[in-house]
Amino acid sequence: MTYTPPPTPAPETQAEGEQPAPRRRLGCALEIVETLVLTLVIYLIIHNFVAQPYEVQQQSMMPTVNPGEYVLIDKISPRFNDYQRGDIVVFQPPEGFGQGGIPFIKRVIGLPGDVISLDNGRVFVQQPAGSPVRLEEPYVVHSIGGGTAPTLPRDAQGTTSWTVAAGTYFVMGDNRPDSEDSRVFGPVSRELIVGRAWLRYFPFDRMGIIAHPTYAGFSTAAYELAGSSATIQLSMARP
């Protein structure tokens, strides 16, 4: 009797239930692509609608925010709670004032309906149907003598008074002697504003929520009575 060994399985024969190697590799590749696409979609949603990192490259907000620091821009809360006096906002520069496409960062000083005026180096805000109130600004950079640096006109005409139209905001940098702001290009359209800066996350020794100032002598009811509340006017224009 002659012994016949069992047949050797062909190399391409797979164990029962096991997929061929090329099919497994294709499945892994598809999973990686799906993960990358989902990650990209989530990033774009967060970046465009929720929050966005921003590197400060200007000196106009010193000493509150310094060049080289990184802040997080809140994009979602302004859709429900409009920009307020004292907010630090990042916006695209008005036409003709761009600096290589770098967004500006400034502080909101005047709301729609306000009249902003400069007198003896100080800022006054007149709300609708109200009287001018001096704005107390402890965050403004100090002069060489130690006192608060004066807020002076910055344009060639020496303009000292502006009326803030509906849908716009009057902004200035905290570094008043070295800030190209609404004193130069006038109030900024809300459409140009990217969002409000609310968190400094670098450098680590200055990490934290950016403080929001409080101002005495102002009333939110003034805008409602005048029919020029930013919340009412701009909620209809939001995308």
Side-chain angles (χ1 to χ4, degrees):
M1 182 176 181
T2 304
Y3 173 75
T4 303
T8 303
E12 64 273 7
T13 303
Q14 304 293 321
E16 185 177 354
E18 185 178 351
Q19 295 181 349
R23 186 175 299 177
R24 290 202 307 272
R25 288 194 292 269
L26 178 60
C28 291
L30 289 175
E31 289 181 3
I32 293 174
V33 171
E34 289 175 356
T35 301
L36 292 175
V37 170
L38 181 59
T39 302
L40 178 61
V41 169
I42 293 175
Y43 169 78
L44 291 176
I45 291 175
I46 294 176
H47 187 274
N48 291 322
F49 300 103
V50 180
Q52 176 181 336
Y54 172 74
E55 179 186 1
V56 179
Q57 302 182 44
Q58 302 139 358
Q59 303 182 25
S60 63
M61 279 302 296
M62 294 176 62
T64 307
V65 186
N66 300 318
E69 295 186 341
Y70 288 78
V71 299
L72 197 62
I73 305 171
D74 171 22
K75 291 184 172 184
I76 193 168
S77 68
R79 296 176 177 269
F80 309 99
N81 180 25
D82 266 309
Y83 300 107
Q84 305 297 319
R85 198 185 330 276
D87 283 349
I88 296 176
V89 296
V90 174
F91 59 96
Q92 298 299 331
E95 185 176 356
F97 293 92
Q99 298 177 352
I102 300 174
F104 286 176
I105 180 169
K106 312 289 180 184
R107 188 183 298 275
V108 173
I109 300 299
L111 304 178
D114 286 342
V115 176
I116 309 299
S117 57
L118 308 181
D119 185 12
N120 196 29
R122 297 294 176 256
V123 180
F124 290 81
V125 178
Q126 181 178 349
Q127 292 184 286
S131 300
V133 176
R134 177 181 170 180
L135 202 64
E136 298 294 338
E137 300 184 280
Y139 43 75
V140 171
V141 69
H142 286 185
S143 61
I144 297 178
T148 301
T151 303
L152 303 174
R154 294 281 292 173
D155 62 355
Q157 295 74 30
T159 306
T160 59
S161 181
W162 302 262
T163 299
V164 187
T168 67
Y169 295 86
F170 194 91
V171 298
M172 285 195 285
D174 291 354
N175 186 5
R176 296 291 161 80
D178 188 19
S179 175
E180 185 176 33
D181 48 41
S182 288
R183 291 173 293 170
V184 178
F185 46 70
V188 175
S189 170
R190 190 185 192 279
E191 297 177 352
L192 295 177
I193 301 179
V194 178
R196 61 165 59 95
W198 69 280
L199 173 69
R200 180 192 295 105
Y201 64 91
F202 186 83
F204 298 126
D205 59 344
R206 280 173 55 84
M207 179 185 296
I209 302 297
I210 298 176
H212 190 282
T214 57
Y215 302 104
F218 296 98
S219 170
T220 56
Y223 304 101
E224 298 171 1
L225 292 174
S228 59
S229 169
T231 301
I232 294 175
Q233 291 183 0
L234 296 176
S235 61
M236 299 178 63
R238 291 195 191 102

